[in-house]
Amino acid sequence: MKEVDPKQTTRAFAFEMWMKAPMPMVTFIKTLDVTRLVRASRRHHMKFNMLMCWCVGKAASGIREFYMLPVGGRLYAYDTIAVNTIVANSEGEVSSCDIPFTDDLQRFGRDYTQLTQQVARTCQNHDLQESMVIGTSALARYDIDGAVGMYSGVFNNPFMIWGRYRKRLFKTKLTVSFQFHHTQMDGAQAARFLDNLQREIDRLRVE
């Protein structure tokens, strides 16, 4: 993680336009076909949420804008990314858990299991401050069509929310909301990320 001069990056114009905007966040909503994830989850006894988080990291890892983030009025560049998940802890509340992203699905799965269990047991957040973190929140018990207006003014990280997936004949669909800071990326990069996400889901292979 290091501070960079916005003028020396591809985000120079966006930084000037959006850094001080009262509401710089944009939300896209997309319905994904998650049939392959559901089948892989059942066949290989892997958590659906873990597989979804890995696909999110995989889809983001090929887009350079995900390695920059506005923080405190400045622009920072990162070497690595992580995916955050919200964990129900032993006290009946929720805690936050950052999982480092790796191309290796098996390793990511082991890290996911170990870290989420640790956070659930200790009720202590696991934060990776040196990585650009993509937030996620899975409301798997509920049918929702999207979420907007999550901007806190403190955390500028991209954030995804999804609810319960829905079975439709031979396909299973999941609606996701993706919120991003306009300084970090434009609509084109955000849309490409969502396209990448569907592509990673479609070609998921569990060995």
Side-chain angles (χ1 to χ4, degrees):
M1 174 184 176
K2 63 179 180 180
E3 184 179 355
V4 295
D5 180 358
K7 295 179 181 179
Q8 303 302 315
T9 73
T10 58
R11 306 311 299 159
F13 177 75
F15 189 91
E16 291 297 323
M17 288 292 294
W18 295 101
M19 194 62 249
K20 295 182 180 180
M23 184 53 189
M25 309 303 285
V26 181
T27 301
F28 283 3
I29 297 175
K30 184 179 180 69
T31 299
L32 302 169
D33 180 349
V34 294
T35 307
R36 183 176 289 273
L37 288 195
V38 174
R39 289 175 180 170
S41 174
R42 293 173 178 172
R43 186 173 302 165
H44 299 280
H45 306 289
M46 293 178 162
K47 288 188 176 182
F48 175 87
N49 192 65
M50 183 279 289
L51 292 172
M52 186 69 181
C53 285
W54 183 81
C55 288
V56 167
K58 183 70 172 174
S61 64
I63 300 175
R64 63 184 176 183
E65 284 76 14
F66 275 89
Y67 291 87
M68 288 185 285
L69 186 71
V71 180
R74 300 176 179 179
L75 191 63
Y76 288 85
Y78 296 78
D79 293 326
T80 59
I81 62 175
V83 182
N84 171 274
T85 188
I86 302 301
V87 178
N89 64 38
S90 59
E91 295 181 352
E93 302 295 337
V94 295
S95 298
S96 174
C97 182
D98 295 345
I99 301 103
F101 174 73
T102 169
D103 281 336
D104 186 334
L105 174 58
Q106 298 297 334
R107 180 181 171 187
F108 183 87
R110 289 193 297 269
D111 289 343
Y112 180 98
T113 299
Q114 176 189 346
L115 292 172
T116 54
Q117 289 179 352
Q118 171 188 308
V119 167
R121 182 180 66 256
T122 64
C123 304
Q124 298 293 318
N125 294 339
H126 182 262
D127 299 323
L128 295 175
Q129 297 182 357
E130 293 302 312
S131 294
M132 203 300 297
V133 179
I134 306 167
T136 74
S137 180
L139 304 172
R141 296 182 181 180
Y142 307 100
D143 288 318
I144 61 172
D145 293 321
V148 297
M150 298 177 288
Y151 181 50
S152 67
V154 177
F155 300 105
N156 296 332
N157 301 62
F159 198 90
M160 295 193 70
I161 289 182
W162 58 84
R164 179 163 49 196
Y165 54 70
R166 301 165 181 173
K167 295 181 179 179
R168 295 288 186 270
L169 294 177
F170 301 106
K171 294 185 181 296
T172 304
K173 301 289 188 177
L174 178 69
T175 300
V176 300
S177 293
F178 175 57
Q179 177 178 270
F180 59 95
H181 197 293
H182 214 325
T183 296
Q184 181 182 22
M185 69 186 78
D186 296 321
Q189 288 94 28
R192 181 154 60 93
F193 160 69
L194 293 173
D195 283 350
N196 286 356
L197 177 55
Q198 181 65 75
R199 190 175 302 112
E200 295 301 334
I201 291 170
D202 289 343
R203 66 187 183 189
L204 177 75
R205 297 289 186 275
V206 179
E207 299 178 358

